[in-house]
Structure formats: structure tokens, C-alpha cells
Amino acid sequence: MNNTGRETALETRDVGADGAHIDAATGLVRLSGLIQMAYQRVSERHDLTPVQARLLCVLLGGPRGMAELAGCFGVEKAALTGLMNRAERRGLALRSSVPGDRRAIQVTLTDEGRRAAIAFHTEMRTEMDRLLTPLADEDREHFRRTMAEIIAGCGPSHC
């Protein structure tokens, strides 16, 4: 608490499991860590790396161009090529030419890749639901709405 006896914007009334007050930034970082650990565990159970799992989940939305995927992953197209080589060797995704544009390459899931993506996504959803178990139904809905507002406020994302 600040010296006026009131909480500042960074101070909250929320208390962590260790009894310490958690500000929003610290809470988001801790929550991010929990999500990343779950993503890692689920990826391993599906014999995927986290980046392979993310690629499959992005491609569940339909074919994507290599340039678009590079933007989604924040890497150069050359770096994405290695990921795609491994995904193709495993039979999870395919690269093909875009009709009418000889230089453009699009990426699609194979049937096996689609099955793997759906299985991974389903298990991740279960894991994320488990994180929210301590919340009452109305608190879960409030959390969902607040999260959607934050995401929308960050601008459009195609990944």
C-alpha cells in the first residue's frame, strides 16, 4: 500500500498461494508460465514440440501462406522452412504452390496432421479449463470477457 493508505494501480487486493500480494503484471507472468508449462506437457504427450503443436493449431483454420506463417511465428521465411521440413517428414503438413502465383507457397494439414491438431487442441482445452476450475461460473465468464477485451485491444491477429 502507498503512504496515503490507498492502493495504487499496480497494487491489488489479490493474494497468491504464498500469501503475497500479486499485482496484475506479476499475475499475468505467472499465468503465462502455467500455460507454457501445460503447453509443453501436452505437446510432449502428443510427440510434438510446442512450435509444431502451434503450427498445427494455426493450420486448423485453413491453409496459410509461408509468409503469413513466418509473420505468425515472428521468424524469417528461411527459419520457417526448417519447421516445415520436419512437419512434412512426419506427414503432418504439406507445402504446395498457390494457383495463379508461381512464387507463393501455401501450407495445409494432412489428414494425420488434422487428427494430431484436433487431439492436441482438445487436450489443451481440457488443461486450460482445469486452470479455471477454482473460479465460480460467473467469475469464469468475467475472466473470459476481460481476456477477450484485452486481446481485441491489441489489434487483429490472424494467428
Side-chain angles (χ1 to χ4, degrees), residues 3-49:
N3 60 5
T4 66
R6 294 187 198 151
E7 293 180 346
T8 67
L10 290 178
E11 295 172 315
T12 68
R13 298 176 197 273
D14 299 325
V15 178
D18 58 1
H21 287 280
I22 299 175
D23 60 71
T26 300
L28 287 170
V29 169
R30 286 185 182 179
L31 185 58
S32 173
L34 291 170
I35 292 166
Q36 289 175 12
M37 287 187 300
Y39 209 87
Q40 178 72 38
R41 281 191 314 270
V42 174
S43 296
E44 287 173 1
R45 284 197 292 263
H46 288 268
D47 194 29
L48 298 166
T49 65

Side-chain angles (χ1 to χ4, degrees), residues 80-155:
L80 187 64
T81 299
L83 173 61
M84 281 308 307
N85 288 344
R86 290 183 294 280
E88 282 185 318
R89 276 195 303 272
R90 290 195 55 192
L92 301 171
L94 292 172
R95 285 175 279 201
S96 60
S97 298
V98 174
D101 188 346
R102 295 180 311 157
R103 296 181 345 172
I105 302 292
Q106 71 179 359
V107 180
T108 57
L109 288 174
T110 62
D111 289 342
E112 183 177 341
R114 182 166 303 288
R115 284 190 297 274
I118 290 169
F120 173 82
H121 188 267
T122 299
E123 189 171 345
M124 265 312 291
R125 187 174 191 148
T126 300
E127 288 283 327
M128 296 300 96
D129 286 345
R130 194 172 294 135
L131 280 178
L132 300 177
T133 298
L135 300 179
D137 289 344
E138 63 193 41
D139 291 336
R140 283 185 204 185
E141 181 55 26
H142 183 256
F143 179 79
R144 188 203 59 75
R145 283 193 320 270
T146 302
M147 181 177 54
E149 283 182 43
I150 292 168
I151 292 168
C154 292

